[in-house]
Amino acid sequence: MLRPKIPTNPVPTGTVMPLPVEATAIVPSAPTAAPAPAPAAPVSSRPVVQLTPGALVALVGGGTAVVLVVGTVLVSLLLAVAVTAASVAVCAVVLRSMLNGQRQR
């Protein structure tokens, strides 16, 4: 998906020239027998995943727990950023007050 596709060489007239292909010599060899087809795997009529009511409740409970834990971590990170910003703002106000007090004296 992320590999670049090498375009053919476009000519300004709009015609597209294909990339050159090197010719290889074909050497005839003794005929070989076609390989025997592999036996087909038996097809199962059962579904791959069977969810019982207990498994479904456990799955929903686990998903809820994951959402709650991730939400708690994100909220705590946001709170930490907010507290840090507030403390920096308080420090800036105190420093500004101290510097203005020295200028007036």
Side-chain angles (χ1 to χ4, degrees), residues 8 12 16 28 30 48-49 64 69 72-73 80 90 92 97:
T8 55
V16 178
V48 176
V49 176
T64 303
V69 168
T72 303
V73 168
V90 168
S97 174

Side-chain angles (χ1 to χ4, degrees), residues 44-51:
S44 174
S45 62
R46 290 180 19 182
V48 176
V49 176
Q50 292 181 347
L51 290 177

